[in-house]
Amino acid sequence: MRDFAGRIAVITGGGTGMGRELARQLAAEGCHVALCDVSAEAMAETRALCEADGLPQGLRVTTHLADVAVEDQLSRFRDEVAEQHRTDHIHLLFNNAGIGGGGSMITNSREQWERTFNICWGGVYLGTRIFLPMLIAADEGHIVNTSSVNGFWASIGPTTPHTAYSAAKFAVKGFSEALMADLRLNAPHIKCSVVMPGHIGTSIVANSRRIQIADAGEELCAEEIAAARTRMRAGGIAEAELTDDDIRAMARERARSFREDAPTTAATAARIILDGVRAERWRILVGDDAHLLDQRVRAAPESAYELDFYQSFAAEVGWKLG
């Protein structure tokens, strides 16, 4: 699919980050866009940005409230797309929605763990399952599933547990690779790509808190501070010397730094993804850090989870994640 003009794209997690930038860039190329998110406010901002960029006459950008982990909500999203875009088919499906959290099987609650897994993996499965008939009905289609470097390296550093997100992203990668063969046999006009970004500048840290914790305020609550202290002790950090306000300040800085100091912006990531779709690449690594980490894990898989491996890699690319 070399040209997106006149096509119809569905994007999950379109309120912020890469989803927002995919929507903006696709709309700028004349592609109709239907995006879903759990935040109506964030989606309204995405739509306003698309309109401010200048929409070609007749182009439709629609927003839909939906939690990708809930099948009924995704089914309603599909029905709204069919109605509002007056179509029985779509051409592009970006299963992009994701959150963090639930890093530990031991110290995090089952609810937190499964919330992350059900969005990051379940959203990809359900999105594909529900929109596949509309892709099959098109003359050509492309499914783009967002995994992560955590789809081939299940860590953000040996002192920080990262099980729910990593397990989900490994599932996304395996599913996408298997789906390619399935499509080739049974729906050869549909392609599939798996996207594996490194550190991209998005609001996922702050957004994950809002989704994981009901009524989450701007600052960490007492329960979150206690969990942070547990993680610090496990990582050998002298957390007793830190006040609660110190920990809150560290959390604010972590969210800011993740968004603003990343080596790759969300806009650049979206361009790389769309270029990969045009080139029909099934494996799309995003960011120099992703390419380097892929090389390192392949070269030394047995040491990939050792402290020296992470420290050497983080120093080379400037990571401060774990």
Side-chain angles (χ1 to χ4, degrees):
M1 196 179 300
R2 309 288 181 182
D3 187 358
F4 301 132
R7 302 294 187 171
I8 303 171
V10 166
I11 305 170
T12 68
T16 59
M18 293 195 307
R20 169 177 288 178
E21 296 301 327
L22 285 167
R24 293 181 68 180
Q25 293 179 33
L26 285 165
E29 295 193 34
C31 183
H32 302 287
V33 174
L35 57 99
C36 81
D37 203 283
V38 294
S39 171
E41 182 180 357
M43 285 192 292
E45 187 174 345
T46 297
R47 183 172 182 173
L49 288 167
C50 290
E51 292 171 347
D53 292 339
L55 296 181
Q57 184 157 359
L59 194 75
R60 291 181 294 276
V61 176
T62 60
T63 61
H64 310 263
L65 273 174
D67 182 336
V68 297
V70 181
E71 185 168 359
D72 287 348
Q73 294 188 27
L74 271 185
S75 294
R76 187 190 70 239
F77 175 33
R78 174 204 58 207
D79 294 344
E80 290 175 358
V81 170
E83 179 183 359
Q84 295 181 29
H85 288 259
R86 299 186 292 278
T87 185
D88 64 351
H89 63 273
I90 65 170
H91 303 93
L92 294 153
L93 172 62
F94 294 87
N95 287 311
N96 165 78
I99 65 167
S104 174
M105 284 284 289
I106 299 164
T107 61
N108 285 107
S109 69
R110 178 171 178 171
E111 290 74 21
Q112 288 177 326
W113 203 98
E114 292 185 355
R115 184 73 174 129
T116 299
F117 188 81
N118 290 341
I119 289 173
C120 292
W121 155 242
V124 172
Y125 166 71
L126 289 173
T128 303
R129 173 70 71 186
I130 288 168
F131 280 99
L132 188 56
M134 295 185 77
L135 286 159
I136 290 174
D139 59 342
E140 63 176 335
H142 205 122
I143 299 168
V144 185
N145 295 329
T146 300
S147 178
S148 166
V149 291
N150 290 132
F152 60 78
W153 183 68
S155 177
I156 53 171
T159 63
T160 305
H162 202 49
T163 60
Y165 187 85
S166 295
K169 295 305 186 178
F170 264 79
V172 170
K173 178 175 180 288
F175 170 70
S176 301
E177 293 186 17
L179 184 61
M180 286 189 301
D182 194 351
L183 292 170
R184 191 174 294 129
L185 291 170
N186 297 300
H189 65 299
I190 303 174
K191 307 300 182 185
C192 181
S193 297
V194 58
V195 176
M196 291 173 284
H199 179 191
I200 311 299
T202 71
S203 299
I204 189 172
V205 174
N207 291 342
S208 298
R209 279 193 69 241
R210 296 188 188 102
I211 293 171
Q212 288 279 11
I213 303 170
D215 302 320
E218 292 298 319
E219 300 288 355
L220 298 189
C221 65
E223 182 180 348
E224 291 175 286
I225 290 173
R229 290 188 182 278
T230 298
R231 290 193 299 271
M232 288 178 182
R233 284 195 296 273
I237 299 171
E239 50 78 28
E241 300 175 5
L242 301 172
T243 67
D244 288 358
D245 284 342
D246 290 335
I247 294 175
R248 290 189 179 99
M250 291 169 65
R252 287 195 301 271
E253 172 58 20
R254 178 172 178 265
R256 184 211 64 77
S257 178
F258 192 95
R259 182 181 64 253
E260 298 177 12
D261 299 337
T264 306
T265 67
T268 298
R271 282 196 296 273
I272 293 169
I273 293 167
L274 294 179
D275 286 346
V277 172
R278 288 189 189 90
E280 294 189 352
R281 293 203 306 273
W282 72 262
R283 190 173 190 268
I284 304 173
L285 291 168
V286 181
D288 292 342
D289 53 346
H291 285 275
L292 179 60
L293 185 58
D294 180 51
Q295 294 168 9
R296 285 193 172 217
V297 171
R298 289 172 180 274
E302 291 292 333
S303 62
Y305 298 104
E306 300 301 322
L307 181 60
D308 289 349
F309 180 98
Y310 173 76
Q311 288 178 334
S312 172
F313 169 73
E316 184 168 353
V317 300
W319 267 24
K320 299 177 182 177
L321 304 182

